[in-house]
Amino acid sequence: MMGNTILELQGINKYFRDNTGNSFHVIKDVNLSLRQGECIAIVGESGCGKSTLAKLISQLIPVTKGSMFYNGKDVTNLHGAQLKEYYKNVQMIFQNPLSTFSPRMKIGSYMVEPYLNFKLMNKKEALNYAKELLETVGLSKDFIDRYPNELSGGQLQRVVIARTIGLKPDVIICDECTSALDVSIQKQIIHLLLELQSNTKFCNIFITHDLALAESISDKIYVMYLGEIVEILRSKNISRDAKHPYTKALLNAVFSAKNTNKNIEVIKPQIQDYTIKKGCLFALRCPNASENCYREKPCLKYLNLRCSVACNLY
Amino acid sequence: MTNQLLEIKSLTVKYNGERNIIENINMSIGHKEIIGIVGESGSGKTTLIRSIINLLSSGGKIVSGEIIFNGEDLRKYRKNKWKTIRGNEICMIFQDAGSFLNPIQKIGVQFVESIQSHIDISKQEAIKKAEETLIKMNFNDSSRIMDSYPFQLSGGMKQRVGIAMALAMEPKLILADESTSALDVITQAQVINELIELRNSFDTSIIIVTHNIGCAAYMADRIMVMNHGKIVEFGLKEDVITNPQEDYTKNLLNSIPELEGC
């Protein structure tokens, strides 16, 4: 294992079963590693398994096959106190800030909850700590006595971030944490995250479907398609480096305000077919698919420093 | 100007008698035109288009102003009269189409009900019409969709079903309220292209409300920027995007993450 790798996933698989007994293979052999202070982004369409992967990493749902290492230790099947310790170190921020709050709980009691649960401090200390944290994320400490409905979405998301960093976790997973917010608020939140990250050196797994956003925040971008990682890109200039036809399709679908004459081409709609066993999963929608693509399954190949791709063309 | 489809003259709306949520709005939309309204949450975008279709949420009241659609003042309309144009001539696509579908009814049943409540046709004809519209929305297997419950469809699919329901009546004016913000980029591009296609083939006018300026810039002819219930800037998209006059517009444009080298 590498010196400063914090988290490593090896061949992670996840099956879901529906009530008729059919099983769906939603995460397929995902390998991923995260170094200290690194920010990675996971992008893909809805339904590609981004959020499932996030839940697997944060151990909200169990892994079916594969193993996960945290600081060199196997954490795939943790229980009890060890699992609680893991939860403390790997924190998640969800999409909709309003639904993470109980409407009848004041911001103060929401903020102190984790510190009391993990028995880090007593209530009085926790409240003071919460006030400090609110100030680090640019909110007034008076917010402690407010109810969630008195705050805007952007403010609530700041409270969530404040509570999360208060635990000093090693890994923060942001699951579409800005997609419910306005672009202007989104920009503030992203700035805040980047600033906090440079101060406290946590790793960030940023899940989004917005490639431009992913590019602006992360060091490495993992592109997922139907539960598989199809391309890994070094960030910045991904529109030049991207090789996989799916990534290109994603890039092509991004609306740009600067270039309004950009021709938005749309590939065929997604087919949620979990039964494909042979060949490339993307072949049905791929503009460059050859007959070979339906027979032979591509595996992730290292092309250069900036790009690894799973496509038969390369 | 009589050749405008919709004209709004000095419209002011209040909720529960508090301050004005939107104030003195003047705008018009021509036939076959697309207008994009952009602004942050709370800027009054939704209130504006909801007042056009007379669906202000509780407590909302138009204080003054005129809304003229096809030469008739909509504010003089009574409940029965509204039934004849709402859904038939003006229709609205909401932000979260998933929550407007009934979770315990199949898509087909709801679709047929919606068609039959607007036009007097038999069930068989309504089913046929529904399936045809779904095919236009890029659903290859429309009969399977008709036979599904909302929870069996993805968010993008539900949104497209919602749009299909709105389009089945071939309305003259579509009001789309953040109807693509919950979708991922590919589905969003699909839906947007579909709306543009609709404008080209049925001469429909569209008002699209969004906070994604990129999206508005791509599809709209004119762009209106709103802040605190007032129009900040309103003009041809080329002017607003490339040569914004107001600081607010510039800030909004700067907030959008852009791909490098694009």
Side-chain angles (χ1 to χ4, degrees), chain A residues 46 182 184 215 239 255 257, chain B residues 40-41 184 188 193 218 241 260:
Chain A
S46 349
D182 279 330
S184 47
E215 186 188 60
S239 52
F255 290 103
Chain B
E40 289 171 273
S41 335
D184 62 65
Q188 166 171 312
N193 277 352
Y218 176 69
I241 299 294
E260 283 178 32

Side-chain angles (χ1 to χ4, degrees), chain B residues 189-223:
Chain B
Q190 241 169 47
V191 170
I192 296 290
N193 277 352
E194 215 55 55
L195 284 172
I196 295 175
E197 182 55 34
L198 189 83
R199 183 265 292 264
N200 296 338
S201 47
F202 297 106
D203 293 354
T204 313
S205 303
I206 301 171
I207 299 181
I208 178 159
V209 167
T210 174
H211 58 245
N212 181 348
I213 294 199
C215 164
Y218 176 69
M219 73 180 294
D221 304 310
R222 286 193 290 162
I223 289 183

Side-chain angles (χ1 to χ4, degrees), chain A residues 9-13 27-32 53 67 222 224 227-229:
Chain A
L9 308 189
Q10 288 179 357
I12 294 286
N13 281 276
I27 300 287
K28 295 159 196 161
D29 279 323
V30 168
N31 298 308
L32 187 151
L53 186 63
S67 36
Y222 288 76
M224 262 184 108
E228 270 177 9
I229 303 239

Side-chain angles (χ1 to χ4, degrees), chain B:
Chain B
M1 287 195 287
T2 46
N3 55 353
Q4 299 289 351
L5 180 67
L6 178 84
E7 261 194 283
I8 296 176
K9 289 180 190 160
S10 51
L11 183 76
T12 301
V13 176
K14 271 185 186 179
Y15 283 103
N16 291 331
E18 281 180 33
R19 65 183 174 88
N20 296 339
I21 296 300
I22 56 173
E23 213 176 311
N24 204 9
I25 299 280
N26 289 294
M27 66 176 284
S28 63
I29 178 167
H31 294 276
K32 221 181 159 176
E33 192 179 21
I34 300 181
I35 290 185
I37 303 181
V38 294
E40 289 171 273
S41 335
S43 61
K45 312 181 295 269
T46 304
T47 305
L48 173 60
I49 63 165
R50 273 181 176 256
S51 57
I52 295 174
I53 197 169
N54 197 17
L55 281 179
L56 284 171
S57 41
S58 64
K61 197 167 174 280
I62 298 176
V63 182
S64 62
E66 284 174 66
I67 303 170
I68 295 164
F69 177 74
N70 255 347
E72 287 187 62
D73 190 353
L74 291 183
R75 286 193 64 200
K76 297 205 178 80
Y77 274 32
R78 292 280 158 260
K79 210 175 172 188
N80 286 335
K81 197 84 185 281
W82 265 112
K83 274 191 186 159
T84 62
I85 76 158
R86 194 189 283 143
N88 280 332
E89 297 193 10
I90 306 180
C91 68
M92 183 146 170
I93 307 166
F94 294 94
Q95 178 163 17
D96 182 6
S99 61
F100 113 104
L101 292 167
N102 183 343
I104 54 168
Q105 259 187 351
K106 287 183 177 168
I107 301 290
V109 178
Q110 302 182 47
F111 210 145
V112 166
E113 185 189 334
S114 126
I115 293 177
Q116 282 188 320
S117 65
H118 289 299
I119 37 176
D120 193 16
I121 52 172
S122 74
K123 200 177 164 191
Q124 291 310 317
E125 283 169 320
I127 290 175
K128 206 167 146 240
K129 193 175 175 71
E131 285 187 354
E132 277 167 10
T133 334
L134 285 174
I135 289 169
K136 268 187 225 142
M137 281 320 290
N138 247 333
F139 284 114
N140 315 325
D141 41 0
S142 58
S143 49
R144 186 180 70 85
I145 300 294
M146 295 281 279
D147 203 32
S148 318
Y149 287 100
F151 69 87
Q152 291 169 314
L153 307 179
S154 72
M157 288 163 102
K158 277 189 278 200
Q159 195 68 41
R160 269 150 60 209
V161 168
I163 294 173
M165 279 190 181
L167 302 187
M169 294 301 125
E170 293 169 20
K172 292 203 184 73
L173 177 65
I174 294 176
L175 310 169
D177 184 8
E178 298 274 12
S179 47
T180 59
S181 353
L183 306 177
D184 62 65
V185 279
I186 289 188
T187 325
Q188 166 171 312
Q190 241 169 47
V191 170
I192 296 290
N193 277 352
E194 215 55 55
L195 284 172
I196 295 175
E197 182 55 34
L198 189 83
R199 183 265 292 264
N200 296 338
S201 47
F202 297 106
D203 293 354
T204 313
S205 303
I206 301 171
I207 299 181
I208 178 159
V209 167
T210 174
H211 58 245
N212 181 348
I213 294 199
C215 164
Y218 176 69
M219 73 180 294
D221 304 310
R222 286 193 290 162
I223 289 183
M224 179 163 134
V225 183
M226 279 183 82
N227 187 23
H228 295 310
K230 296 203 181 79
I231 298 178
V232 176
E233 215 167 335
F234 189 21
L236 291 175
K237 75 167 172 204
E238 291 80 9
D239 299 340
V240 176
I241 299 294
T242 53
N243 188 18
Q245 299 297 319
E246 302 289 330
D247 287 343
Y248 182 73
T249 318
K250 286 178 196 157
N251 286 340
L252 214 53
L253 279 165
N254 273 334
S255 308
I256 315 169
E258 288 272 348
L259 286 165
E260 283 178 32
C262 213

Side-chain angles (χ1 to χ4, degrees), chain A residues 67-214:
Chain A
S67 36
M68 218 155 46
F69 297 93
Y70 170 71
N71 275 337
K73 266 191 306 195
D74 191 338
V75 289
T76 326
N77 295 305
L78 288 182
H79 294 288
Q82 283 171 313
L83 186 60
K84 208 166 168 187
E85 188 62 28
Y86 182 81
Y87 283 150
K88 200 175 93 187
N89 291 318
V90 179
Q91 283 280 314
M92 191 150 161
I93 298 174
F94 294 93
Q95 179 167 12
N96 186 355
L98 197 63
S99 60
T100 53
F101 285 89
S102 157
R104 297 170 50 146
M105 223 161 138
K106 284 187 181 164
I107 301 299
S109 33
Y110 172 85
M111 293 270 308
V112 299
E113 214 179 13
Y115 317 126
L116 301 181
N117 279 350
F118 289 119
K119 300 200 172 64
L120 298 175
M121 47 187 87
N122 67 33
K123 197 162 183 191
K124 208 173 153 204
E125 285 169 346
L127 265 174
N128 284 331
Y129 187 44
K131 283 181 192 164
E132 256 173 59
L133 287 168
L134 281 176
E135 282 177 341
T136 24
V137 296
L139 295 175
S140 150
K141 57 178 188 246
D142 307 335
F143 276 58
I144 262 205
D145 292 319
R146 302 242 195 124
Y147 284 102
N149 65 340
E150 298 172 72
L151 273 64
S152 72
Q155 287 171 332
L156 287 175
Q157 201 65 294
R158 279 166 193 265
V159 175
V160 177
I161 292 173
R163 176 169 110 156
T164 309
I165 57 160
L167 279 170
K168 304 201 172 71
D170 285 332
V171 182
I172 294 184
I173 307 168
C174 302
D175 187 3
E176 300 264 17
C177 72
T178 60
S179 53
L181 306 172
D182 279 330
V183 279
S184 47
I185 313 287
Q186 166 173 302
K187 196 180 179 192
Q188 294 168 10
I189 297 285
I190 297 299
H191 266 279
L192 176 68
L193 276 172
L194 288 175
E195 196 187 297
L196 292 171
Q197 196 178 8
S198 64
N199 294 340
T200 48
K201 299 273 178 272
F202 57 83
C203 317
N204 194 348
I205 302 180
F206 198 84
I207 295 176
T208 175
H209 58 247
D210 186 342
L211 275 157
L213 181 63

